[in-house]
């Protein structure tokens, strides 16, 4: 029997006003995993209203009281790790290791939020005005609209709400249609069970064909004062434009065309292991996944042989099997898109070094392509799947050029045995994030996370996240004497 869930508005589980529901499909079996309420614009209005009504009380709640809720939620999250692993396998085809990582990081995001609750909220400014204190003070915006994706549902769903809540905002969360439980309702359950007051976090799930209306209603509501979105650049442009039209700040973490640069002095075994993890964790469905391994010409053939041999052995199949490394794409349409990228590349001259064969159950085998060129879609488009390409570089300078041949500058990695050389290369890569002697798939809740160019703007995480979800206000206090006026 499938699960049935309703919206969460003002701390209550309620059906959509229209009574409409939508199905949540297991991507591996094709069966209905859950049936959830399908919100419409009336439900958006209710959810925003609940958040607006709860704001003043939540913003005035003491920092320590807020921190206690987040710490309690972190412990509850860890206690429910087994439930989270099963949920991710059934809802998005997440393999066990990826789900465990999601659960652990989501718990730590909550702990980071607890720390943010008691972080400094401003500074004393220099002033030429006698007898005054001049202060720069951070305060919450009010209602935040949070739009979370399916691919790392526990991490990205929690990231979308934790810091905004910690600094005193209230939130309306719209999770992806592909993961309404894992990146929405499940997270809200944990926070409500930890003592989060009613109305502070509201969750609206929706049918795919209603997404545009729901998102538009949410962002354009005058009571919503800030927006955050994680997803594709294509959709991010729409979200960012809509927010800008209504003069609302937005944090947008969007697509990445991520490179791992392997210099000529790299430890090849380490480079192969790093590339394999960075390209194929969660079947490559991570915004940080490696789309291109850029390898110095002098070692490119040997690297490719070793890399392809390792990739060919990755266990592929049922995400509920703890030994599986490559699970399904999120749905059959996503798998077909990946096969189209392979077919287009091969038709235009690319070679398959590993994988490439068509599988059932929305599976795409771990695939390595060589000899890709700018005429191929895969050269420019974000892959977001279990395919990567190997590009030879004539020099470190050429590797930098290839890595920067994209406007999707989210993250990158540089592998070398010469750290100072690695830092020199890393500084010239046009990305929001870069890792020297590691691959691009890294995340910590206290780090500033976000991209450059068409990978979005604003930052999640740590002090940068606090700044993103609070507005700066100038306050002066005439604490001694009276101000002087010219007339």
């Amino acid at each position: 029997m499938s699960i049935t869930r309703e919206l969460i508005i003002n701390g209550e589980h309620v059906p959509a006003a229209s009574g409409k529901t939508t199905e949540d499909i297991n991507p591996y079996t094709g069966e209905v995993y859950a049936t959830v309420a399908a919100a419409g614009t009336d439900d958006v209005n209710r959810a925003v209203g609940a958040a607006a009504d709860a704001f003043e009380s939540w913003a005035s709640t003491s920092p320590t009281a807020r921190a206690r809720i987040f710490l309690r939620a972190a412990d509850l999250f860890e206690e429910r790790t087994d439930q989270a692993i099963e949920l991710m396998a059934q809802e998005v085809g997440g393999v066990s290791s990826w789900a465990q990582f999601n659960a652990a990081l989501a718990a730590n995001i909550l702990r980071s939020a607890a720390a943010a609750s008691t972080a400094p909220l401003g500074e004393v400014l220099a002033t030429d005005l006698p007898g005054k204190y001049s202060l720069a003070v951070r305060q919450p915006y009010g209602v935040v609209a949070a739009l979370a994706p399916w691919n790392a549902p526990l991490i990205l769903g929690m990231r979308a709400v934790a810091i905004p809540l910690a600094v005193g905002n209230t939130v309306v969360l719209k999770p992806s249609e592909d993961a309404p439980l894992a990146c929405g309702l499940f997270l809200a359950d944990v926070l409500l069970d930890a003592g989060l007051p009613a109305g502070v976090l509201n969750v609206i799930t929706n049918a795919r064909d209603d997404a545009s209306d729901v998102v538009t209603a949410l962002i354009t509501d005058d009571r919503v004062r800030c927006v955050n979105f994680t997803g594709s650049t294509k959709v991010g442009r729409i979200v960012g434009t809509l927010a800008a039209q209504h003069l609302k700040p937005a944090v947008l973490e969007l697509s990445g065309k991520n490179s791992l640069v392997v210099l000529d002095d790299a430890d090849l075994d380490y480079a192969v292991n790093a590339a394999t993890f960075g390209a194929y964790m969660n079947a490559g469905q991570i915004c940080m996944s490696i789309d291109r391994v850029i390898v110095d010409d002098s070692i490119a053939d040997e690297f490719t042989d070793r890399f392809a041999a390792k990739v060919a052995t990755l266990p592929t199949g049922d995400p509920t099997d703890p030994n599986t490394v490559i699970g399904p794409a999120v749905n059959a349409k996503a798998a077909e898109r990946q096969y189209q990228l392979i077919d287009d590349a091969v038709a235009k001259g690319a070679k398959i070094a590993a994988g490439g064969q068509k599988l059932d159950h929305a599976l795409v085998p771990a695939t390595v392509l060589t000899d890709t060129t700018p005429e191929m879609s895969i050269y420019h488009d974000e892959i977001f799947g279990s395919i990567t390409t190997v590009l030879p570089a004539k020099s470190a300078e050429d590797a930098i050029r290839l890595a920067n041949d994209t406007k999707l500058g989210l993250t990158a990695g540089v592998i070398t045995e010469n750290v100072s050389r690695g830092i020199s290369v890393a500084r010239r890569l046009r990305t929001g994030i870069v890792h020297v002697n590691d691959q691009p798939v890294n995340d910590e809740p206290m780090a500033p996370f976000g991209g450059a160019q068409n990978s979005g703007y604003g930052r999640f995480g740590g002090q940068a996240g606090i700044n993103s979800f609070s507005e700066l206000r100038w306050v002066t206090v005439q604490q001694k004497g009276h101000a002087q006026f010219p007339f």
Side-chain angles (χ1 to χ4, degrees):
M1 181 180 292
S2 68
I3 297 166
T4 300
R5 291 296 306 260
E6 296 179 315
L7 312 175
I8 297 178
I9 298 177
N10 201 29
E12 298 181 351
H13 299 264
V14 296
S18 66
K20 185 176 178 179
T21 62
T22 188
E23 293 179 338
D24 183 18
I25 304 298
N26 179 315
Y28 184 72
T29 66
E31 297 174 352
V32 175
Y33 173 62
T35 301
V36 299
T41 56
D42 288 344
D43 303 299
V44 173
N45 183 58
R46 285 195 293 162
V48 174
D53 290 344
F55 171 64
E56 187 173 343
S57 175
W58 177 245
S60 63
T61 299
S62 74
T64 300
R66 290 203 298 263
R68 285 196 193 102
I69 292 171
F70 294 118
L71 292 173
R72 193 176 304 125
D75 291 341
L76 285 175
F77 214 103
E78 287 185 339
E79 291 172 9
R80 298 176 189 182
T81 294
D82 289 345
Q83 183 181 347
I85 291 170
E86 180 181 359
L87 173 57
M88 279 187 58
Q90 297 290 338
E91 190 171 46
V92 295
V95 300
S96 178
S97 58
W98 176 236
Q100 288 177 13
F101 177 75
N102 263 254
L105 185 53
N108 284 337
I109 289 171
L110 286 164
R111 295 189 176 101
S112 183
S117 298
T118 58
L121 292 176
E123 56 188 347
V124 179
L125 306 175
T127 179
D128 288 331
L129 303 173
K132 275 195 190 299
Y133 278 121
S134 181
L135 309 171
V137 179
R138 290 208 161 271
Q139 61 184 30
Y141 281 107
V143 180
V144 172
L147 312 175
W150 57 266
N151 59 310
L154 306 180
I155 296 170
L156 300 182
M158 191 61 77
R159 187 183 73 177
V161 305
I163 294 297
L165 292 173
V167 298
N169 299 289
T170 55
V171 176
V172 177
L173 171 62
K174 193 208 86 66
S176 164
E177 296 86 1
D178 287 307
L181 276 65
C183 75
L185 298 167
F186 178 78
L187 310 183
D189 290 343
V190 170
L191 282 160
L192 289 170
D193 289 349
L196 193 71
V200 174
L201 173 61
N202 307 273
V203 181
I204 50 172
T205 56
N206 62 277
R208 200 177 304 275
D209 56 1
D210 295 328
S212 178
D213 290 343
V214 166
V215 170
T216 298
L218 182 57
I219 295 175
T220 59
D221 192 303
D222 287 341
R223 296 167 293 182
V224 170
R225 295 309 314 148
C226 181
V227 178
N228 77 75
F229 169 79
T230 299
S232 71
T233 295
K234 179 181 177 181
V235 177
R237 287 183 191 278
I238 299 169
V239 170
T241 298
L242 193 57
Q245 287 173 344
H246 291 266
L247 299 179
K248 299 177 183 182
V251 178
L252 305 176
E253 196 258 284
L254 310 177
S255 303
K257 189 69 179 173
N258 310 305
S259 295
L260 177 66
V261 175
V262 181
L263 298 180
D264 56 4
D265 63 345
D267 178 319
L268 275 183
D269 287 337
Y270 178 68
V272 166
N273 289 337
T276 304
F277 174 84
Y280 301 110
M281 171 57 84
N282 194 34
Q285 299 172 120
I286 306 174
C287 59
M288 299 170 282
S289 294
I290 299 168
D291 273 19
R292 301 176 296 186
V293 187
I294 300 171
V295 189
D296 190 273
D297 248 340
S298 63
I299 58 172
D301 288 345
E302 185 177 359
F303 171 87
T304 303
D305 289 344
R306 293 194 197 185
F307 183 44
K310 183 176 179 68
V311 167
T313 68
L314 297 177
T316 302
D318 188 346
T320 63
D321 182 339
N323 295 314
T324 297
V325 173
I326 307 295
V330 69
N331 53 46
K333 183 179 179 181
E336 183 55 34
R337 175 186 168 275
Q338 293 179 55
Y339 285 122
Q340 289 172 359
L341 287 173
I342 294 171
D343 291 344
D344 173 74
V346 170
K348 294 174 180 175
K351 295 182 176 60
I352 298 174
Q357 71 274 21
K358 293 195 175 182
L359 304 175
D360 297 326
H361 300 290
L363 292 166
V364 179
T367 299
V368 178
L369 296 179
T370 63
D371 297 341
T372 56
T373 63
E375 293 72 32
M376 303 169 187
S377 296
I378 203 167
Y379 187 91
H380 299 288
D381 295 354
E382 182 184 33
I383 297 172
F384 216 73
S386 48
I387 312 164
T388 198
T389 62
V390 178
L391 301 176
K394 298 173 183 176
S395 62
E397 192 72 26
D398 192 38
I400 294 167
R401 178 188 65 80
L402 288 168
N404 286 337
D405 188 18
T406 179
K407 291 188 180 299
L408 301 178
L410 182 57
T411 184
V414 182
I415 305 292
T416 175
E417 290 299 288
N418 184 329
V419 173
S420 63
R421 188 181 180 209
I423 293 171
S424 178
V425 170
R427 290 182 65 176
R428 296 177 60 193
L429 300 180
R430 293 194 293 267
T431 59
I433 306 164
V434 65
H435 305 286
V436 177
N437 279 335
D438 202 350
Q439 47 70 49
V441 181
N442 281 275
D443 197 0
E444 288 193 275
M446 67 288 292
F449 194 101
Q453 304 181 84
N454 292 356
S455 283
Y457 48 77
R459 293 292 183 268
F460 292 94
Q463 186 61 48
I466 293 172
N467 294 348
S468 291
F469 295 107
S470 60
E471 55 186 341
L472 197 59
R473 190 181 191 196
W474 182 35
V475 177
T476 69
V477 179
Q478 188 71 38
Q479 53 88 32
K480 183 179 180 182
H482 291 162
Q484 300 299 307
F485 308 110
F487 58 87

